[in-house]
Amino acid sequence: MSSTHKLYAYLHEEILPLESAYLHVSDLSIQRGYGIFDFFKTLNGQPLFLEEYLNRFYASALLMGLQVPLSEEELTATLTQLIQMNGLIDSGVKMILTGGYSANGYDPGPPNLIILQQPLTMPSEAQLATGIKVITHDYVRELAAAKTINYTVGIRLIQQIKAKGADDVLYHQNGVVSEFPRSNFFLVKEDGTLVTPAREILHGVTRKNVLELARKKYKVEEGTITLEDIAQAKEAFMTSTTKRILPIVEVDGKSVGNGKPGTVSLDLLQDLIALEEAQIRAL
Ligand SMILES: Cc1ncc(COP(=O)(O)O)c(C=O)c1O
């Protein structure tokens, strides 16, 4: 994208130039960090798995007691118009719903719906070839099923992650693993079974797609993973909309399996790319 590419956003019931999209300081997202969001990608200008992301967006809003000001049909029409106006080929689209303008800085007002679109950054070939290193941290996200805008712990840990030469942080509570700040976690056991945590997680759209693809050729479990299980694992990877499947080769300084991206991880990545391409062709 050239630096002169003009981008549009949605705010206050209209599509307007991104540089004019201002939220008032009384918004509860600023005052108290209250709000939810969702994020999907477009490839070749087409939104992928849109219905799944919209369902999760409305479900997160409900869990937080926020009302989305547009119906699903109206929101889809707005997204289509914005995507067309922005003309980005591969992009990430973020829908944010805030606690609204608050008279006293605590009680919610009518929620503000914001839609932003930006160019997409995917993992590099080098990152896929080497895999990533992660550290662990004892924490479980509050209201884990909702995609809230609260990333306090993850963002506060960025310095620690960097200091340890790692790329991300895996949350666990008393040794029971849940997820990353922005991705889900999978592990391949010694017997080849694929396992992913079932509880205290955001139900990732990529996680769901990977589970469906994996069930066609591997034994799959949604259950409990402990830090000890990782020490015995053959492979591990994370999933998210932007990362697809990213192999994890080290956890807390210890190699996972042989310390290289695993064959099941890379095989499922190819299946996921094929699924995305099939969906684009079908649209
Ligand atoms: C806490 C958390 N877990 C998992 C995910 C991955 O979800 P998805 O595959 O739908 O991108 C995200 C996405 O941002 C997230 O914030």
Side-chain angles (χ1 to χ4, degrees), residues 39-41 53 56 122 206 239-244 276:
F39 178 91
F40 64 88
K41 68 185 176 201
Y53 292 97
R56 189 172 64 188
M122 306 280 279
T206 322
T239 63
S240 81
T241 302
T242 45
K243 298 193 179 80
R244 289 193 178 115
E276 290 182 357

Side-chain angles (χ1 to χ4, degrees), residues 127-163:
Q127 230 179 359
L128 279 174
T130 48
I132 62 159
K133 299 174 181 180
V134 306
I135 58 169
T136 60
H137 185 75
D138 196 314
Y139 172 65
V140 69
R141 283 194 317 116
E142 210 178 322
L143 218 60
K147 198 164 163 72
T148 72
I149 58 171
N150 178 5
Y151 284 74
T152 306
V153 173
I155 294 172
R156 189 169 56 82
L157 288 170
I158 290 174
Q159 281 184 17
Q160 200 174 317
I161 294 166
K162 282 197 183 137

Side-chain angles (χ1 to χ4, degrees), residues 34 41 46 55 61 76 78 83 110-111 129 144 173-174 180 193 199 210 222 247 267 270 273 279 282-283:
Y34 202 82
K41 68 185 176 201
Q46 303 283 359
N55 288 343
T76 305
T78 305
I83 290 167
Q173 195 170 39
N174 298 323
F180 292 92
T193 308
R199 289 170 43 80
V210 168
E222 287 178 74
D267 175 47
Q270 290 318 309
I273 293 171
Q279 157 128 159
L283 287 167

